[in-house]
Amino acid sequence: MKLLSRSRGPALADRLVWQAASLLLAYPDEHRDQRLDTVEGLLSHIDGPARKLLARTVAALRAADPLAAAADYVETFDMRRRSTMYLTYWTAGDTRNRGREMLAFASTYREAGVEPPKSEAPDHLPVVLEFAATVDPEAGRRLLIEHRVPIDVLLQALTEADSPYAHAIAAVCETLPPVTDQDVQRARRLAESGPPAEAVGLQPFTLTVPPKRTGGN
């Protein structure tokens, strides 16, 4: 989606991290190198641990063969349930509640003056990060904090898989409040048991698992 910039909100440094992470977490299509160039430009304005973490993802993607990078992305995010970037999958799972939660994301975008993207679900982490970086950082930060546990589950899964994308997620976490013991326990339970399931007799919400990407799409 085309996002309109605003000057108010959290520290500019956080917004730069969110924008960089959003670009790094995008599917590595033919514009991959251009996005990496943009991220490297942003890194010159980012300090601390987040800069080093983002730089590690950049270096790994730079070194990867384009076809291999695309295949790895599909394998990582589309074929492994625990590393999905659709945040409501972990809070609502295969239930009708997921539709309501996704609507909440879309409503937040519209209240900020932009339409949700037509090519991607509104709860997709790169979309949320771009929104937080360039449209409404206060509302975007709130969405990220509210879904901190799914983000932690994603980070754990990527770390265990030794994925270079783990560093980008860890950089995002550097911009958020520290996790509580309760958050850690919830993340552990989600990782072990999976997302909520629909009650008996109800038709499950159909958009639950990210679609498999094919070719350059």
Side-chain angles (χ1 to χ4, degrees):
M1 61 181 170
K2 184 175 178 58
L3 302 177
L4 305 177
S5 60
R6 292 185 177 180
S7 58
R8 298 166 52 189
L12 176 61
D14 289 351
R15 299 173 67 177
L16 294 175
V17 171
W18 297 336
Q19 181 65 83
S22 176
L23 293 170
L24 292 175
L25 293 171
Y27 178 73
D29 57 15
E30 66 274 15
H31 302 296
R32 180 195 68 167
D33 289 344
Q34 296 175 11
R35 287 193 294 268
L36 293 178
D37 290 342
T38 300
V39 172
E40 288 181 334
L42 294 173
L43 289 181
S44 63
H45 302 285
I46 300 174
D47 297 319
R51 184 183 189 280
K52 295 180 180 179
L53 289 165
L54 293 167
R56 293 181 67 180
T57 301
V58 171
L61 294 181
R62 283 281 193 204
D65 173 79
L67 293 178
D72 177 69
Y73 188 96
V74 171
E75 175 66 23
T76 299
F77 296 115
D78 295 352
M79 306 302 291
R80 300 174 188 167
R81 185 182 66 174
R82 283 188 60 203
S83 54
T84 176
M85 288 195 287
Y86 292 92
L87 299 180
T88 63
Y89 179 68
W90 286 106
T91 56
D94 279 325
T95 73
R96 295 187 179 187
N97 289 337
R98 188 164 183 233
R100 182 169 61 248
E101 292 190 14
M102 290 178 64
L103 180 60
F105 277 86
S107 296
T108 298
Y109 298 158
R110 292 192 176 100
E111 289 171 2
V114 296
E115 283 296 313
K118 296 181 179 180
S119 59
E120 189 56 270
D123 65 329
H124 194 234
L125 182 56
V127 173
V128 181
L129 289 169
E130 185 179 353
F131 171 79
T134 64
V135 178
D136 191 330
E138 293 179 357
R141 180 186 290 275
R142 185 169 62 251
L143 288 174
L144 293 170
I145 292 175
E146 290 173 352
H147 295 82
R148 179 61 186 268
V149 172
I151 293 173
D152 285 344
V153 173
L154 172 60
L155 175 58
Q156 179 182 344
L158 294 176
T159 300
E160 292 175 355
D162 196 25
S163 169
Y165 295 105
H167 310 305
I169 301 297
V172 171
C173 291
E174 288 287 329
T175 69
L176 304 177
V179 294
T180 64
D181 291 340
Q182 184 178 14
D183 290 334
V184 173
Q185 293 173 4
R186 287 180 60 199
R188 183 179 297 115
R189 287 196 298 269
L190 276 177
E192 293 174 350
S193 62
E198 183 65 275
V200 175
L202 294 180
Q203 182 66 31
F205 185 67
T206 56
L207 183 61
T208 53
V209 179
K212 180 179 179 180
R213 299 171 187 268
T214 58
N217 297 326

